[in-house]
Amino acid sequence: MNEPIDLIEDNPKIYLGMGIYDIYIIGGWYIELGKFEVLLKNTDKNTEVIPKKVALKVQDFYKNKRVKKVLSFVVDKGGEYRVQFKNKNSLILKKHGFPLGYFFGKRIDVREIKIFIDRN
């Protein structure tokens, strides 16, 4: 598992081996992705990986913080990748996922949101 990545970081580098990976958003259980996208570019081979939305968004805890699985992707060739975030401001994240929580809950600021990438 890689360390969590801040959404405000510019093109952070991570190493990914071959396999299936999931992307989790840290901080809350109510998530609207909107036009938010994650793009991974291999630094050596100049290939791109575009994660797909998952049908079943699993909720869990990571270091006592709420996380939700939102994207999944396959890496065919291992190596160093740059992570790019597009349309960060369209992402809506709130702490609680139940109805009263997302109606009255406070939206978490993009500067406070982190993701982590976990091998499946």
Side-chain angles (χ1 to χ4, degrees):
M1 180 187 318
N2 292 296
E3 288 299 311
I5 301 168
D6 289 321
L7 283 190
I8 57 171
E9 271 188 71
D10 288 333
N11 299 320
K13 290 183 184 178
I14 60 170
Y15 179 83
L16 299 173
M18 278 181 37
I20 301 170
Y21 290 86
D22 296 318
I23 296 178
Y24 293 82
I25 295 183
I26 301 172
W29 285 340
Y30 177 78
I31 296 174
E32 284 183 31
L33 293 177
K35 294 182 179 183
F36 174 73
E37 293 181 47
V38 178
L39 180 66
L40 298 122
K41 288 188 178 184
N42 189 309
T43 56
D44 296 334
K45 298 166 188 69
N46 206 21
T47 57
E48 293 183 352
V49 176
I50 301 171
K52 306 265 189 248
K53 292 179 184 178
V54 294
L56 182 61
K57 294 182 171 107
V58 178
Q59 299 177 161
D60 205 349
F61 285 94
Y62 170 77
K63 295 186 179 180
N64 295 327
K65 294 191 178 192
R66 297 166 195 247
V67 298
K68 194 165 201 174
K69 178 169 64 169
V70 292
L71 302 167
S72 185
F73 63 95
V74 176
V75 173
D76 294 328
K77 306 235 182 209
E80 190 174 66
Y81 285 80
R82 285 195 179 275
V83 182
Q84 294 179 345
F85 302 110
K86 296 183 177 184
N87 304 313
K88 299 178 224 183
N89 291 323
S90 72
L91 175 67
I92 297 173
L93 177 65
K94 295 183 181 182
K95 191 171 187 174
H96 300 286
F98 56 88
L100 286 177
Y102 69 76
F103 280 127
F104 300 110
K106 182 179 160 191
R107 182 176 178 175
I108 297 172
D109 192 285
V110 173
R111 294 173 293 201
E112 298 175 21
I113 299 174
K114 295 183 181 196
I115 68 158
F116 76 89
I117 299 172
D118 190 24
R119 190 176 192 150
N120 195 340

